[in-house]
Amino acid sequence: MSSVQFNTNSFHPGDNTDTGRHTHTEDLENGDVEKEGIQFNKGGGETTDEYTNLVKYISTYREGGRRKSTASGVYDNDADAKKKPWWKFWAKGPKGETSSGEFEVPDEWIETDMHRGITSAEVESRRKKTGWNELTTEKENMFLKFLGYFQGPILYVMEIAVLLSAGLQDWIDFGVIIAILMLNAGVGWYQEKQAADVVASLRGDIAMKAWVVRDGSEQEIKARELVPGDIIVVEEGQVVPADAKLICDYETPDAFAEYQQMQREELDGDIAEKRDTDEDGEPEDKHHGHAVVATDQSAITGESLAVDKYMGDTLYYTTGCKRGKAFAVVTASARQSFVGRTASLVQGAKDQGHFKAIMNSIGTALLVLVVGWILIAWIGGFYHHLNLATPQDTSQNLLHYILILLIVGVPVGLPVVTTTTLAVGAAYLATEKAIVQKLTAIESLAGVDVLCSDKTGTLTANQLSIREPYVAEGQDVNWMMAVAALASSHNTKSLDPIDKVTILTLKKYPKARELLESGWKTKKYTPFDPVSKRITTEATHNGTLYTCAKGAPKAILSLTNCSKETSDLFKNKAAEFARRGFRSLGVACKEGDQDWILLGMLPMFDPPREDTAQTITEAQTLGLKVKMLTGDAIAIAKETCSMLNLGSKVYNSDKLIHGGLSGATQHDLVERADGFAEVFPEHKYQVVEMLQQRGHLTAMTGDGVNDAPSLKKSDCGIAVEGASEAAQAAADIVFLAPGLSTIISAIKIARQIFQRMKAYIQYRIALCLHLEIYLVTSMVIINETIRVDLVVFLALFADLATIAVAYDNAHYEARPVEWQLPKIWIISVVLGILLALGTWVVRGSMFLPNGGLIQNYASVQEVLFLEVSLTENWLIFVTRGSETLPSWQLVAAIFGVDVLATLFCVFGWISGNGEIPSDPVDLAAHLTDLPPAVGNTSIVTVVVIWIYSIAVIIVIAIVYSLLNKITWLDNLGRKSRSAGDTQMENIIGHLSKLAIEHEEDDTGKKRWHLAARANEAEVDD
C-alpha cells in the first residue's frame, strides 16, 4: 500500500511570509480583546502564523473558559440614547428612531476600506440618518394598547350596555359596567406587559450578533447596531444581518483590490457590455470568479436549493449562510432592505391563528344565545303587559330585560383572561429557559403528539470524545491526527463540535502538534456540506501542496483507490465502531496530483444524557411519540435507540426517497418508524409533512441553518440550545437549556396553561347559561328578575374572582390536548342547567308557608344574589379539576369576593327600597319578620345559604366527575391522530413519479406529454 512519506523528525518550516494576509490571534482563556481582532499585515509588521495560534489554542484551552466580547460596553448603552420627554407629545423622537425608509444611502458610504472599516464617529452620524438596523414596528403606544382591550365583539356588546344604562338613567349600572370594562382592560394590560417584559429580558440572550470590522479590528456587536458601509463577516450557520454586497472570501483579503476594480468597471458600464445572451435571448450574467458563499433564499424566492453568491452579489437580510465565509459591505439597514420594504407592505396584517378563531367562535355562539334569550324574555313581557322603559325605579320593563341579559350573557372577561393566561404562561416558560416567539405556539406545543428530535445535544450529552483511532496499515497516527486537524475549521471563535474535539484531541499527540507548527499555509478551505459529507483543506508545506479530507467513512473511502482488502478492512472497522455506538470520521490526504491515501478513522462517542431514557419513558406516558432523526450511520442510530429504549424500527433515510416506496406505504413507514439515520434536511421536511398529512401535530427540533425549512413546516418548531441564528429565527420556541428533559418539561407547562384556559372557558360559558336560564324562566313564569343593580355586581364579582386563574396550579393531561368544543359545550350546558336548578330551589322554597330556606327575615333579591354569587364563584374549583390544589391567589380572590357578596346580603345594599316581588301575596309576611331595616337578611339565613351553596357545588362536582368518565364524551371532538386517505395518498404518490416533458420537432412544433420523472442519479449523470 502506498503512503505519504512524511518524516516527522526532519520537518522544517518554510518561508512563512504572506503579505496582505490576515490571521486570528485569539486568547480564549483570558479573553484578551486586543488579541481577538483581525490583524491586517500590509507588509510592515510580522504576521502571527495560523497554525501556531491553533497549537496555542490546543495547549491553553480550558473547559468552560469564556471569551469576552470585543464590543462589550462599546455600543450596549442604548438606554443612554436621548428620548423625548413624555410631555412633548408634539415633538419628534430621535432621528435614528424615526428615520424614514425612503433614505437613500450615498454611494461614498459603500466605498469602505475593507481593512479598516468605518470609525465609531462615522457609525453614530450614519445611524442618525438610517436608524437602528432592525425591522421592529414603531414603538407601541401604551395608551393605544390599553384602548385595544375595549375592542372586539364581546366588548362592543358591553359598551352598548353602557349606553343603554345611561339612557335608562341607571347610574349605578352605568358606573359598575364601566368599572368592569376598566378592570378587565387594566388587569389584562398590566399582566401582558409584565409577562412581555420577562420574555423580552431573556430574549436578549438570543439577540442576533454580527462580526464587523471597525477602526481596523474585528469586533462582535449586536446586529441592530450595523449601519450602511459597515464591513461584516458572513459565515456558515449565521443569518445575514443586513443587505450587503459580497466582497471576497474571508481567507483571501487580497481580493479586495479585485473587488474595487470590479466596482469601477461596473460604474463605467463595462459589466453590461460583457453580458451575453442565453439560448432564449435573455441576458445572462457573467459571474466574477468562483462562488464565495451560498445562502438559503427560500423564504424570499421560494428556491429550495442554496444559491451561490459571487463577488459583487447581494446578500439579503435574514437569509441564512449555508456555506463559506466572506467579507461583505452593508448596503442598506433592515428597514431599507429588500425584506424590510416587503414587510412594510403588509405591516398591518395580523395572523389571528387557531386560538383567536376558537375564541371568536365561542363569543359568536354566546351572542347568538343572548339574542335568543332576549326574544323569549320579550315575548313573556308582552304577555305580562310590561312597558318598554317604565317604571324606572324597577327592573321589570323590556329595556331593562335587554340590559340584564346583555350583562349576564356576554363574558366580558373571556378574551382578556385567556390572552393574559397565555402571556403569563409565556413568562413562566421564559424562566424555564424556553423563549416563546409567538403566544399561539403554546397551544401548538400543548397539542403535540409526535416529537422529531435530533440526536446530538438533545438525546445525547453533546460531549464528544475521540476513542482509540484506527490507523491504516503503513500510516503514522501523528500524521493522521495532524491531517485531521488540517481538515478542520481554524476559526476558534465558533468551532463546530466535531472540529473542536478533533483539534483538542491533539493534546494527546505532541508530535502531531509539532507537525502543525512546521510551516503550513492554508490555500483553500471547503467546509462540510450534507451532499459531499466531508471537509477538505488545501495547504502547502515547503512548496508542496497537500489536500486533506475528513468526513463520513463512506465519503472518504470513495475518494481513494485503495485495494479491496484495505477497503473491506476499513468498512468492517466502521461497522464495528457503529455497533459500539461510535460515530466515525474517515481521514485521507493526497500530495499534489497523486492518488488519495486512506490514513485511518477516528471513532467518536457522544454518550446519552443521564436523564434521557427516563425522559423518553415519561414522554410516552404523556402520549408523546419521540422519533430520532440523525445524520449518523444506521448502526449508530440503532445502537443509540437501543440504549434509550426508543425502539428498534430505525430505517435509513434513503428508504423515503429511493426505497421504491410511495403513497400510503411510505406514510405508514414514517408513522411506524422509531427513527431515521443518515438524514438530510430535506428528509426532515418530508417526515414532518407526512406526519401532518396523517393528522399528527408534530414538533421538530433543530439547530442548524439547514433545519430552518423543517422548523417552519412543523406545527411547533423548536430551536435547541446553541442553535444557529437561522434556526432560531425559523423556530416557534427557542430553548436556552440543553436536553430532551427541558422540552418535555415545556410541553407539561404548555398543557397546564391550556388547562387553565379550558377550565375558565367552561366556567364562563356555564355562568352565562346559568343566569340566562334562570332569569328568562323567572321573567316568563313569575314576572320577576334579579335587579339590574345587583346583576352588574354579579358580573363584576365573577371577573374579580377569576383574575387569578392565570396563576392557578393547573394539572396537565396525560395525552395531547385539544379544544374539543362539542365536549366543552355539552359539559357547560349541563353545569349551567344544574346551577339554574339550584337557584330555582332557593326561589321556590320561599313560596312555602314557613319561608323555606329563609330564617327569621331576609330580602328575596339579596338571598338570590348571595346564592348565585357563591355557587358561580365556587364553580371554578369544579372546572379546574381536583388533581391539584388551587393556588393561594385564586383562593384569596374568590374568598374576598364571597365576603363582599355576604356583606351585600346582610346589609341589604341596593336591594330595591323594600321592593318585594310578586305572588303569593303573603310572601312579605314570611320574609320580613320584623327586620331591623328594609332589605336586610339575618345572619342565620346567610349561614343557611352558604351551607346550601356548598351542597349545590358538591352535587355539581360529582356530576362533572361522572361526565368526564364517560368515554364517548371524553373523546368527543378529538381528531384522529393517525388517519390517512389511503387512496388519495397513493394517487399523489404515483403522480409524484410523473413529469411533464416538452419537446420541439424540426418544424418548430411544440409538444408536451407525461413521462416518468428522472431519479436523482439520472439527473446527476
Side-chain angles (χ1 to χ4, degrees):
M1 173 183 172
S2 62
S3 64
V4 175
Q5 300 301 319
F6 214 91
N7 186 352
T8 59
N9 295 322
S10 60
F11 208 12
H12 303 290
D15 182 14
N16 200 27
T17 305
D18 191 7
T19 303
R21 188 175 180 275
H22 65 278
T23 57
H24 296 287
T25 55
E26 298 137 61
D27 186 347
L28 297 188
E29 183 177 5
N30 301 317
D32 190 336
V33 174
E34 293 182 359
K35 291 184 178 182
E36 290 177 9
I38 290 180
Q39 303 299 326
F40 292 101
N41 181 21
K42 298 186 179 181
E46 294 183 359
T47 305
T48 308
D49 181 76
E50 171 186 354
Y51 290 92
T52 302
N53 293 331
L54 192 62
V55 172
K56 182 180 180 182
Y57 170 74
I58 296 169
S59 303
T60 60
Y61 179 80
R62 296 290 184 273
E63 199 67 45
R66 297 185 64 183
R67 174 176 52 81
K68 296 179 183 178
S69 170
T70 58
S72 60
V74 179
Y75 292 104
D76 288 343
N77 54 349
D78 296 347
D80 296 335
K82 293 182 179 178
K83 296 182 179 180
K84 65 178 181 180
W86 64 270
W87 48 270
K88 283 193 176 181
F89 56 87
W90 65 87
K92 294 184 178 180
K95 293 179 181 179
E97 293 290 343
T98 59
S99 297
S100 170
E102 302 294 327
F103 179 78
E104 185 174 348
V105 177
D107 291 339
E108 57 268 21
W109 281 21
I110 312 302
E111 299 171 0
T112 309
D113 183 349
M114 188 189 78
H115 302 293
R116 298 297 305 169
I118 59 178
T119 65
S120 301
E122 289 177 307
V123 170
E124 293 303 323
S125 64
R126 294 183 184 190
R127 184 176 294 133
K128 289 179 181 178
K129 298 179 180 179
T130 62
W132 295 100
N133 179 51
E134 57 188 355
L135 273 185
T136 54
T137 55
E138 292 187 11
K139 190 173 182 180
E140 197 169 23
N141 186 307
M142 290 293 103
F143 179 68
L144 293 179
K145 184 176 178 65
F146 179 74
L147 291 181
Y149 285 93
F150 297 93
Q151 298 174 4
I154 290 176
L155 294 158
Y156 292 150
V157 172
M158 286 300 287
E159 287 152 16
I160 291 173
V162 170
L163 298 176
L164 185 58
S165 61
L168 292 171
Q169 298 182 5
D170 284 339
W171 301 117
I172 292 179
D173 309 336
F174 177 81
V176 174
I177 295 173
I178 289 179
I180 293 173
L181 290 170
M182 295 295 291
L183 172 72
N184 280 280
V187 171
W189 177 86
Y190 178 75
Q191 285 186 338
E192 194 168 350
K193 182 180 181 300
Q194 290 292 98
D197 289 344
V198 173
V199 175
S201 65
L202 288 176
R203 187 169 284 160
D205 294 341
I206 61 171
M208 190 187 300
K209 302 291 196 302
W211 283 92
V212 60
V213 179
R214 285 181 181 172
D215 299 316
S217 64
E218 189 173 318
Q219 307 172 2
E220 186 183 28
I221 64 172
K222 294 179 181 178
R224 72 186 296 264
E225 296 165 1
L226 291 172
V227 295
D230 260 324
I231 302 296
I232 59 173
V233 178
V234 179
E235 62 181 314
E236 179 183 0
Q238 292 184 348
V239 173
V240 178
D243 275 8
K245 183 171 286 189
L246 192 57
I247 297 177
C248 63
D249 191 279
Y250 185 78
E251 301 298 336
T252 57
D254 289 341
F256 178 56
E258 186 179 348
Y259 166 80
Q260 290 178 309
Q261 177 62 28
M262 188 195 71
Q263 292 299 103
R264 286 192 292 269
E265 292 178 355
E266 185 175 352
L267 290 175
D268 294 338
D270 293 345
I271 295 297
E273 295 175 6
K274 292 182 180 179
R275 288 189 176 182
D276 296 330
T277 56
D278 58 18
E279 295 178 356
D280 297 327
E282 295 294 328
E284 182 180 17
D285 287 331
K286 288 290 186 180
H287 294 298
H288 193 94
H290 61 84
V292 181
V293 297
T295 60
D296 176 13
Q297 297 184 172
S298 57
I300 298 176
T301 64
E303 297 170 273
S304 57
L305 298 177
V307 179
D308 287 332
K309 294 291 183 178
Y310 300 78
M311 180 182 289
D313 284 356
T314 298
L315 304 177
Y316 293 107
Y317 174 59
T318 71
T319 59
C321 181
K322 301 189 73 172
R323 187 174 65 251
K325 184 175 181 181
F327 288 107
V329 58
V330 175
T331 57
S333 57
R335 277 179 285 185
Q336 292 87 36
S337 67
F338 175 82
V339 172
R341 293 195 304 269
T342 305
S344 66
L345 299 176
V346 292
Q347 195 168 9
K350 292 184 179 179
D351 179 19
Q352 292 190 341
H354 184 246
F355 171 73
K356 189 70 174 178
I358 293 291
M359 293 300 102
N360 286 341
S361 68
I362 293 172
T364 302
L366 289 174
L367 290 177
V368 171
L369 282 175
V370 166
V371 173
W373 289 117
I374 289 175
L375 181 61
I376 295 173
W378 271 43
I379 292 173
F382 293 149
Y383 278 97
H384 289 294
H385 307 291
L386 295 183
N387 297 324
L388 183 64
T390 56
Q392 291 187 356
D393 56 343
T394 73
S395 299
Q396 289 177 276
N397 57 64
L398 297 179
L399 286 181
H400 271 101
Y401 279 7
I402 293 179
L403 181 59
I404 289 171
L405 291 174
L406 286 180
I407 294 170
V408 302
V410 179
V412 64
L414 180 64
V416 174
V417 172
T418 50
T419 301
T420 54
T421 299
L422 281 175
V424 171
Y428 184 71
L429 279 170
T431 62
E432 297 294 312
K433 302 299 182 182
I435 307 300
V436 178
Q437 306 272 52
K438 53 182 181 180
L439 288 180
T440 52
I442 296 176
E443 178 193 358
S444 301
L445 187 63
V448 161
D449 68 311
V450 177
L451 172 62
C452 297
S453 172
D454 57 347
K455 179 177 77 73
T456 305
T458 303
L459 301 179
T460 60
N462 197 19
Q463 296 174 353
L464 284 173
S465 61
I466 293 181
R467 303 304 174 93
E468 188 65 29
Y470 161 73
V471 185
E473 185 179 353
Q475 301 301 324
D476 177 62
V477 65
N478 291 294
W479 170 233
M480 182 186 74
M481 295 305 300
V483 169
L486 287 167
S488 301
S489 169
H490 301 157
N491 179 15
T492 51
K493 295 190 298 295
S494 56
L495 280 175
D496 173 88
I498 293 177
D499 284 346
K500 185 175 181 180
V501 72
T502 302
I503 292 172
L504 293 178
T505 301
L506 265 65
K507 281 188 175 183
K508 303 176 183 177
Y509 299 92
K511 288 188 177 180
R513 297 204 302 272
E514 291 177 11
L515 290 176
L516 288 182
E517 291 183 291
S518 60
W520 289 93
K521 295 179 184 178
T522 300
K523 292 298 182 184
K524 183 181 179 182
Y525 170 72
T526 305
F528 178 87
D529 70 83
V531 178
S532 67
K533 290 197 171 183
R534 65 175 183 265
I535 298 174
T536 57
T537 298
E538 295 179 10
T540 60
H541 179 266
N542 291 337
T544 304
L545 178 66
Y546 292 88
T547 306
C548 308
K550 177 187 72 179
K554 286 182 182 179
I556 297 301
L557 187 61
S558 66
L559 294 174
T560 65
N561 293 320
C562 57
S563 64
K564 185 177 185 302
E565 180 183 355
T566 302
S567 175
D568 290 343
L569 182 61
F570 187 82
K571 291 177 181 177
N572 292 336
K573 200 66 179 176
E576 178 192 336
F577 284 151
R579 285 193 297 271
R580 294 166 60 186
F582 295 163
R583 182 178 182 179
S584 302
L585 282 180
V587 182
C589 76
K590 71 173 181 175
E591 180 179 347
D593 294 329
Q594 298 180 21
D595 290 339
W596 284 91
I597 304 301
L598 188 63
L599 300 180
M601 193 184 315
L602 304 177
M604 297 182 298
F605 182 61
D606 183 14
R609 292 182 176 275
E610 294 180 358
D611 61 342
T612 299
Q614 179 183 352
T615 304
I616 289 174
T617 302
E618 185 179 10
Q620 291 167 349
T621 63
L622 294 173
L624 188 68
K625 172 72 174 176
V626 180
K627 295 181 184 290
M628 184 181 75
L629 305 181
T630 177
D632 290 341
I634 189 166
I636 299 173
K638 285 186 174 181
E639 178 65 20
T640 304
C641 282
S642 175
M643 295 169 67
L644 299 175
N645 297 321
L646 262 179
S648 58
K649 296 189 287 292
V650 182
Y651 306 105
N652 192 302
S653 60
D654 276 349
K655 279 198 171 185
L656 287 174
I657 298 176
H658 304 305
L661 303 177
S662 63
T665 308
Q666 195 178 31
H667 285 71
D668 290 339
L669 172 72
V670 171
E671 202 169 18
R672 291 197 304 264
D674 297 313
F676 287 96
E678 300 185 25
V679 170
F680 284 177
E682 56 265 30
H683 296 146
K684 290 186 177 183
Y685 188 94
Q686 195 171 11
V687 166
V688 170
E689 187 174 44
M690 290 184 181
L691 289 171
Q692 288 175 332
Q693 289 170 353
R694 282 291 173 97
H696 296 282
L697 254 67
T698 307
M700 170 65 74
T701 68
D703 59 357
V705 64
N706 290 331
D707 296 325
S710 55
L711 291 175
K712 273 289 186 186
K713 175 65 177 173
S714 64
D715 297 289
C716 186
I718 297 172
V720 296
E721 188 257 350
S724 67
E725 292 170 349
Q728 291 176 354
D732 299 308
I733 300 177
V734 178
F735 283 85
L736 303 180
L740 183 67
S741 60
T742 59
I743 299 175
I744 301 303
S745 175
I747 290 175
K748 291 179 183 177
I749 294 170
R751 292 186 183 181
Q752 289 174 325
I753 296 167
F754 188 91
Q755 176 60 29
R756 293 187 189 105
M757 293 191 296
K758 196 172 178 181
Y760 176 77
I761 289 170
Q762 277 187 334
Y763 158 83
R764 208 61 185 86
I765 294 175
L767 258 58
C768 292
L769 293 172
H770 167 207
L771 283 177
E772 285 172 338
I773 293 171
Y774 172 74
L775 291 175
V776 171
T777 52
S778 176
M779 292 170 183
V780 172
I781 297 172
I782 62 176
N783 191 27
E784 176 186 305
T785 181
I786 299 176
R787 285 178 53 82
V788 67
D789 296 342
L790 292 175
V791 167
V792 293
F793 276 99
L794 286 174
L796 176 62
F797 289 172
D799 284 338
L800 281 173
T802 53
I803 285 173
V805 166
Y807 301 97
D808 189 26
N809 300 323
H811 70 280
Y812 55 84
E813 288 193 46
R815 62 178 180 177
V817 298
E818 294 182 33
W819 279 109
Q820 294 182 262
L821 287 181
K823 175 186 174 182
I824 288 177
W825 274 103
I826 289 175
I827 291 178
S828 298
V829 168
V830 172
L831 297 181
I833 291 173
L834 290 175
L835 286 171
L837 289 175
T839 306
W840 262 116
V841 168
V842 173
R843 184 68 187 89
S845 71
M846 297 181 191
F847 290 104
L848 297 174
N850 62 355
L853 296 178
I854 306 303
Q855 307 295 318
N856 299 330
Y857 56 88
S859 163
V860 174
Q861 291 286 321
E862 297 290 0
V863 167
L864 290 175
F865 172 81
L866 179 61
E867 191 275 341
V868 169
S869 182
L870 293 178
T871 54
E872 287 194 347
N873 291 342
W874 295 342
L875 182 65
I876 190 65
F877 293 130
V878 175
T879 60
R880 69 176 297 278
S882 58
E883 290 82 353
T884 58
L885 292 174
S887 67
W888 69 266
Q889 294 99 324
L890 184 63
V891 172
I894 290 178
F895 179 74
V897 169
D898 291 343
V899 170
L900 278 174
T902 302
L903 293 175
F904 266 74
C905 184
V906 170
F907 294 106
W909 293 339
I910 56 174
S911 60
N913 300 322
E915 170 191 346
I916 301 299
S918 54
D919 307 329
V921 177
D922 59 346
L923 181 62
H926 295 292
L927 301 183
T928 56
D929 184 15
L930 301 176
V934 175
N936 289 16
T937 301
S938 68
I939 298 297
V940 180
T941 303
V942 169
V943 172
V944 171
I945 296 302
W946 268 72
I947 295 172
Y948 172 78
S949 299
I950 292 172
V952 170
I953 288 299
I954 291 173
V955 171
I956 290 176
I958 294 171
V959 173
Y960 181 80
S961 177
L962 294 174
L963 287 173
N964 279 294
K965 290 180 180 179
I966 300 174
T967 304
W968 71 267
L969 181 59
D970 193 41
N971 294 318
L972 184 64
R974 291 189 69 87
K975 298 177 182 177
S976 173
R977 295 295 182 104
S978 182
D981 188 336
T982 304
Q983 185 177 3
M984 183 56 65
E985 287 172 355
N986 288 332
I987 291 172
I988 294 174
H990 290 306
L991 288 176
S992 67
K993 296 181 179 180
L994 299 177
I996 299 177
E997 289 190 353
H998 167 247
E999 62 182 22
E1000 186 174 345
D1001 58 22
D1002 296 337
T1003 63
K1005 187 176 182 180
K1006 298 179 180 180
R1007 290 196 309 164
W1008 287 266
H1009 59 89
L1010 288 175
R1013 183 189 297 273
N1015 59 38
E1016 289 187 3
E1018 292 173 348
V1019 172
D1020 292 340
D1021 292 342

